[in-house]
Structure formats: structure tokens, C-alpha cells
Amino acid sequence: MHTSSEGRGLMAALLLIVACATSAVAGCVLIREADGWDADHRRVTAQVVRVLRVPVAAARPAPVPGAVAELAWTGRDGRPRTGRTVLPSAHAPGDRVELWVDARETPASGPPPVGLVVLVALLGGLSAAGGLWAAGHLARHGRQAWTARRAVAGWEGEWRAIAPRGR
């Protein structure tokens, strides 16, 4: 059984509505979380105390992808703090770097970039629309299989009714 063009248009409209609604909700949630980032995190200037592990790629002339380093900074309460994190490029002891710390004064990742928020929201909408599309196809094919099975069962019943008499 084929779907009419009207049915396909209705399905496309429904999928578009689901995708847009899901993207909007996901975007709002992610933006709200990103806006609250400053309440729990702050950016500090830290000093590299020592580099603990230089990546293997550092032996090549290509740019170094990062290294694990121990950093020191002054906490919100004025006491010295230390922590370990992966720095995006090679640094030597004594270098100053910008670092995000959370409310417990431990190194944290920075806030999500705007592009990532948009990408996640769009992918969430597409995933929801794809899931609805797949569920619709499974339901349609399941209904077709059930209808075909009922028809075959009816034919078999009719065949049983006429087979002993005439053949």
C-alpha cells in the first residue's frame, strides 16, 4: 500500500514540527545552562608549576596537542590552590595560563561554545524527527503485516470450508 502525496505532506509537516519543537527546547535548556555557568565557575590566572606528562606527539615538529600540567592559583578565599589539568598547548614551568575553576576551586572545562549549543540543538531535533519517522514506518508496516496475516487466515478458513466438498 502506497502513501498518498497528501499523507506524505502531512507526515513531512509533522516531522518538521517535531524537529523544530525539539530543537527549540534543547536550545533553551542548553542556553539556560550556559548562562548559569558564571554563577558556579570563574576564570583565574594560574601559573604552571610543572609539566607532568608531555604527549608523544611533542617529539614531532607538528604543533603539540597538549600536556598534563600542575597549576597554582589564588582561590576566592585568598588561599593558594593547586590542581592538574590538560593544557591545550605546550607550556613551561612559570608560564601563566587562563583557567576555569568551579565552585570547589578545582579545574573545570570552560563554558560550551555557541556553535556547539546550536549543533546539539539541531541534532536533537533531527534525531527526534528521525525517531518519529522510524516509529511511523514500523507502525505502518506492522499494520500491513497484521492485515495481511488476517487476510491469509481468512483465505485459509475459506479454503478449508470448500476443499473437502469440491476437491
Side-chain angles (χ1 to χ4, degrees):
M1 175 162 45
H2 294 287
T3 308
S4 68
S5 61
E6 184 179 303
R8 282 189 296 248
L10 184 61
M11 184 62 154
L14 179 62
L15 291 175
L16 185 62
I17 290 169
V18 166
C20 290
T22 304
S23 290
V25 169
C28 288
V29 168
L30 292 169
I31 288 170
R32 192 161 134 202
E33 184 179 316
D35 286 344
W37 190 261
D38 290 337
D40 295 338
H41 296 78
R42 68 185 183 101
R43 196 168 182 130
V44 297
T45 301
Q47 184 173 1
V48 177
V49 176
R50 64 185 168 138
V51 177
L52 301 170
R53 181 172 43 109
V54 177
V56 176
R60 292 188 256 152
V64 178
V68 177
E70 185 173 337
L71 306 171
W73 66 93
T74 303
R76 193 169 281 194
D77 57 4
R79 296 189 318 194
R81 305 283 183 174
T82 60
R84 293 180 180 176
T85 190
V86 176
L87 298 176
S89 61
H91 290 281
D95 289 351
R96 295 205 174 273
V97 295
E98 293 293 318
L99 175 71
W100 283 95
V101 294
D102 61 14
R104 295 172 297 175
E105 294 289 333
T106 58
S109 60
V114 174
L116 181 64
V117 170
V118 171
L119 179 67
V120 168
L122 289 175
L123 290 177
L126 290 174
S127 296
L132 181 63
W133 177 79
H137 272 286
L138 285 173
R140 184 170 62 103
H141 290 296
R143 187 192 75 222
Q144 287 173 349
W146 182 79
T147 303
R149 185 172 182 175
R150 299 267 302 161
V152 168
W155 294 333
E156 286 178 355
E158 290 175 11
W159 180 255
R160 272 188 234 115
I162 62 170
R165 282 187 286 160
R167 297 181 194 224

